[in-house]
Amino acid sequence: MSSYDAVIIGAGASGMVAAIELARGGKKVALIERQNRGGKKILASGNGRCNIANLSLSSKNFHSRNQRLIQELLKNYPLAKIEEFFRNLGLEFISVEDGRLFPKSLSALSVLELLEAWIARLGIDCFYGVEDLTIKKGFYITFAKGRLEAKKLILATGSSAAPQLGGNSSGYEIARNFGHRVIDPLPALVPLTSSAKVCRALAGLKLSVTLRLLVDGVEITSKRGDLLLTKYGVSGLAILDISIAAVQALASGKKCSISIDYFDSMNQKEFLKYLKSRVDRERNLPLRIWIGTILHPKLAKEILLELELFDATESALKSNTLKNLATLLKGYTIPINGYRPMQYAEVALGGVDSKEIDYKTLESKKQKGLYFCGELLDTIGDRGGYNFYFAWATALQVAKSILDT
Ligand SMILES: Cc1cc2nc3c(=O)[nH]c(=O)nc-3n(C[C@H](O)[C@H](O)[C@H](O)COP(=O)(O)OP(=O)(O)OC[C@H]3O[C@@H](n4cnc5c(N)ncnc54)[C@H](O)[C@@H]3O)c2cc1C
């Protein structure tokens, strides 16, 4: 049996950072990973570029049952500390639109390889392909190729999102065995489903719009960005952004819809005025051609079909018809009836109840010496680097808590 100061389960974003920080602090560390290589979500992140954090960090960007934990984390780990950790390893950064921070290489592979290089350099014992783990209080960790004893145990197994990249629920099970409550995970940062005909009819069409999420008819949040119509419903960055609120609402049995504003640079009054100014009864174009010059022609046709104006021409435009058209173009509603499964989710809502861990040290309140970091906890961030921030910051906090004891 080999003895360690700390054993970390899960060699993903948070597990690797915790291992490096502890080993740099002089601790003997082992890292146990289920897959043949850790960090697969890092590799797939940010379209292969790894959106590592965000220049603007606020508690509003996180969704947690334990806001005190978020506030403590933001206080102790401002962005400068995360940057300092990675700069010390040798990483450089570049920030792009919306304050999103990337490695200067714009390559997720460079981040993973850097972390792996440090893990090797620091002599951290790594065990890959471990699927038969049993953990007993003490802590005694047993699997086919090893029997380890650890003073501290860190659970960094991530969430069940994206199973194709290693997401699974074994971490929840380990936490349960230590007496922890797990809030049922739900997919988040995920496309939404709809049975609206327009989605199927125009599948593949991508538009730049402002989206409003309506829950039981009331606007909850709005986002500007890409909307992609698909066979199953809606996707695109703006949809992922509103998906956290949509999934929460749908899971609690509420009715959801999205209202799409195709002309968000003008308010309703200005838009109506603009439409009126474009009417030319002499020219008398078919409406589908006329609207098709300011909106994607395929969408223009669908909207005119809905208004039963498909065959009408400009001369048919009465003031109430124009008003109806303006209303629909600035608030086209699509009912949402669900969300795509975990396979399509970037993160999972839910996880280990963060109220059952000490908000300062991230140590379990149920089991001394047991720590949690990363997405295994019931906390997620918005799209834009907030989930990696949470993984890095919780890992550094766990390492500090252990180094301080
Ligand atoms: C496609 C995609 C793109 C993303 N892009 C971004 C982005 O650009 N920016 C951002 O901030 N976030 C992004 N995320 C989210 C981000 O990847 C996660 O929030 C982050 O990786 C969570 O870190 P973690 O350490 O908690 O878990 P993970 O990184 O998932 O690591 C957990 C590790 O534990 C291992 N494991 C699980 N169970 C066991 C077990 N029983 N025994 C041993 N090992 C186990 C897993 O195999 C995995 O290697 C993206 C996610 C996906 C799926």
Side-chain angles (χ1 to χ4, degrees):
M1 166 123 30
S2 315
S3 295
Y4 292 90
D5 294 315
V7 168
I8 301 167
I9 316 290
S14 63
M16 285 195 280
V17 164
I20 290 170
E21 191 67 357
L22 281 167
R24 291 209 304 184
K27 297 289 180 194
K28 190 177 174 206
V29 182
L31 198 46
I32 301 179
E33 169 56 46
R34 197 181 171 102
Q35 303 186 86
N36 54 8
R37 186 183 189 183
K40 291 204 173 159
K41 286 191 186 172
I42 296 180
L43 273 187
S45 67
N47 281 329
R49 299 191 305 172
C50 186
N51 180 191
I52 211 161
N54 199 294
L55 298 185
S56 146
L57 290 172
S58 131
S59 57
K60 287 195 198 109
N61 299 116
F62 298 91
H63 310 267
S64 177
R65 283 174 47 77
N66 194 343
Q67 276 305 315
R68 275 215 293 186
L69 184 153
I70 297 295
Q71 271 149 19
E72 191 72 8
L73 217 53
L74 290 170
K75 185 179 83 189
N76 295 334
Y77 294 93
L79 183 65
K81 275 224 172 150
I82 306 292
E83 287 183 294
E84 187 190 329
F85 170 81
F86 280 105
R87 281 215 175 91
N88 275 335
L89 300 188
L91 198 73
E92 288 197 45
F93 296 101
I94 183 168
S95 60
V96 298
E97 68 282 6
D98 313 337
R100 285 180 298 142
L101 197 67
F102 290 89
K104 202 178 174 72
S105 61
L106 288 175
S107 155
L109 180 64
S110 71
V111 178
L112 181 57
E113 286 188 339
L114 186 69
L115 293 172
E116 288 172 333
W118 276 94
I119 284 168
R121 170 183 289 189
L122 290 163
I124 294 166
D125 286 341
C126 294
F127 302 89
Y128 291 103
V130 177
E131 289 187 14
D132 56 343
L133 202 61
T134 58
I135 302 174
K136 297 227 166 78
K137 280 184 190 170
F139 299 93
Y140 301 99
I141 302 116
T142 316
F143 48 98
K145 289 186 200 142
R147 285 176 65 217
L148 319 182
E149 186 185 5
K151 290 190 188 122
K152 311 279 183 194
L153 181 69
I154 303 172
L155 294 184
T157 49
S159 74
S160 50
Q164 69 283 12
L165 298 169
N168 73 88
S169 50
S170 60
Y172 306 137
E173 220 32 66
I174 301 172
R176 276 195 194 102
N177 288 341
F178 281 108
H180 278 273
R181 187 169 99 96
V182 174
I183 291 128
D184 282 348
L186 292 169
L189 299 185
V190 69
L192 303 174
T193 59
S194 172
S195 55
K197 194 180 122 270
V198 67
C199 300
R200 283 191 309 281
L202 302 183
L205 188 64
K206 196 174 181 182
L207 302 151
S208 182
V209 300
T210 289
L211 280 181
R212 296 188 176 80
L213 174 68
L214 309 179
V215 175
D216 288 342
V218 178
E219 180 178 332
I220 296 295
T221 181
S222 71
K223 275 281 163 190
R224 177 155 226 298
D226 288 342
L227 164 73
L228 177 67
L229 299 175
T230 70
K231 277 189 289 193
Y232 58 78
V234 283
S235 185
L237 296 182
I239 291 292
L240 298 191
D241 286 335
I242 63 160
S243 69
I244 297 176
V247 169
Q248 278 167 330
L250 288 161
S252 53
K254 296 187 173 144
K255 278 212 158 127
C256 276
S257 57
I258 52 168
S259 163
I260 306 165
D261 185 348
Y262 297 111
F263 293 91
D264 53 8
S265 60
M266 291 176 256
N267 66 29
Q268 180 83 15
K269 217 166 141 193
E270 289 165 342
F271 184 55
L272 187 58
K273 203 168 148 200
Y274 164 72
L275 277 185
K276 276 184 185 158
S277 75
R278 292 192 71 251
V279 178
D280 185 336
R281 293 183 205 280
E282 293 290 301
R283 195 169 49 203
N284 200 23
L285 279 175
L287 288 189
R288 59 180 186 277
I289 306 290
W290 183 73
I291 300 288
T293 61
I294 55 170
L295 187 68
H296 195 286
K298 282 187 183 170
L299 184 61
K301 282 172 198 163
E302 281 301 317
I303 286 177
L304 290 167
L305 273 171
E306 252 178 63
L307 287 171
E308 296 181 351
L309 288 171
F310 189 79
D311 295 318
T313 62
E314 274 176 274
S315 64
L317 282 171
K318 313 240 164 29
S319 112
N320 65 333
T321 329
L322 264 178
K323 233 185 198 162
N324 290 346
L325 196 56
T327 304
L328 206 58
L329 291 172
K330 284 200 60 67
Y332 188 84
T333 303
I334 294 183
I336 299 297
N337 58 13
Y339 38 85
R340 297 281 268 164
M342 282 293 185
Q343 195 184 341
Y344 303 94
E346 281 194 13
V347 292
L349 262 168
V352 173
D353 185 349
S354 54
K355 290 204 164 152
E356 294 181 348
I357 62 169
D358 184 290
Y359 74 95
K360 282 186 189 235
T361 61
L362 307 187
E363 186 176 12
S364 161
K365 288 182 186 170
K366 307 262 172 191
Q367 173 65 54
K368 212 172 161 356
L370 174 67
Y371 294 80
F372 294 90
C373 54
E375 217 190 294
L376 174 63
L377 289 167
D378 65 356
T379 300
I380 55 170
D382 290 336
R383 199 180 55 80
Y386 297 103
N387 286 296
F388 276 140
Y389 166 80
F390 187 73
W392 319 131
T394 48
L396 292 174
Q397 179 59 69
V398 165
K400 182 174 186 310
S401 306
I402 293 175
L403 291 170
D404 285 351
T405 53

